[in-house]
Amino acid sequence: RKQKGQDPVFFDALRIGMEETISISYLQRKLGLGFQKAARIWDMMKDMGVLVPDEKDPKRSRVNLTQEEYEELLSANDEEE
């Protein structure tokens, strides 16, 4: 079936970033993605304003979303399908 909403991998990346610090290369390894797709997901998170740079490592960031905000995004996405 054709999906109209956001790529499910995007939500996997958000969830990972909520639990630990991430980078584009970390997303590539963790989710088995190519650079282009991982960078596109990174840019989407950046555009949403949810990426917060890590104090210790400026190359890594975390996703600043509560569990409730995450679930709202997920359910809004499901309704678009």
Side-chain angles (χ1 to χ4, degrees):
R1 83 192 157 95
K2 193 82 173 136
Q3 184 170 349
K4 291 185 182 130
Q6 199 68 263
D7 188 333
V9 176
F10 176 73
F11 291 98
D12 293 340
L14 280 176
R15 188 179 34 74
I16 291 167
M18 289 166 62
E19 296 166 1
E20 53 195 307
T21 60
I22 56 173
S23 63
I24 293 173
S25 61
Y26 187 77
L27 291 177
Q28 285 181 266
R29 290 190 307 275
K30 193 84 171 173
L31 297 169
L33 304 174
F35 177 80
Q36 293 296 329
K37 185 155 188 171
R40 198 164 38 248
I41 287 171
W42 182 269
D43 289 342
M44 287 166 30
M45 289 192 280
K46 211 170 167 182
D47 292 344
M48 282 175 66
V50 297
L51 282 182
V52 178
D54 184 57
E55 307 83 43
K56 297 176 194 109
D57 184 354
K59 292 183 184 137
R60 297 178 77 84
S61 293
R62 61 184 174 78
V63 173
N64 189 23
L65 280 178
T66 65
Q67 187 62 34
E68 292 77 27
E69 290 168 330
Y70 173 79
E71 288 168 9
E72 281 175 29
L73 285 172
L74 198 55
S75 66
N77 185 66
D78 289 343
E79 288 165 15
E80 287 178 25
E81 289 182 34

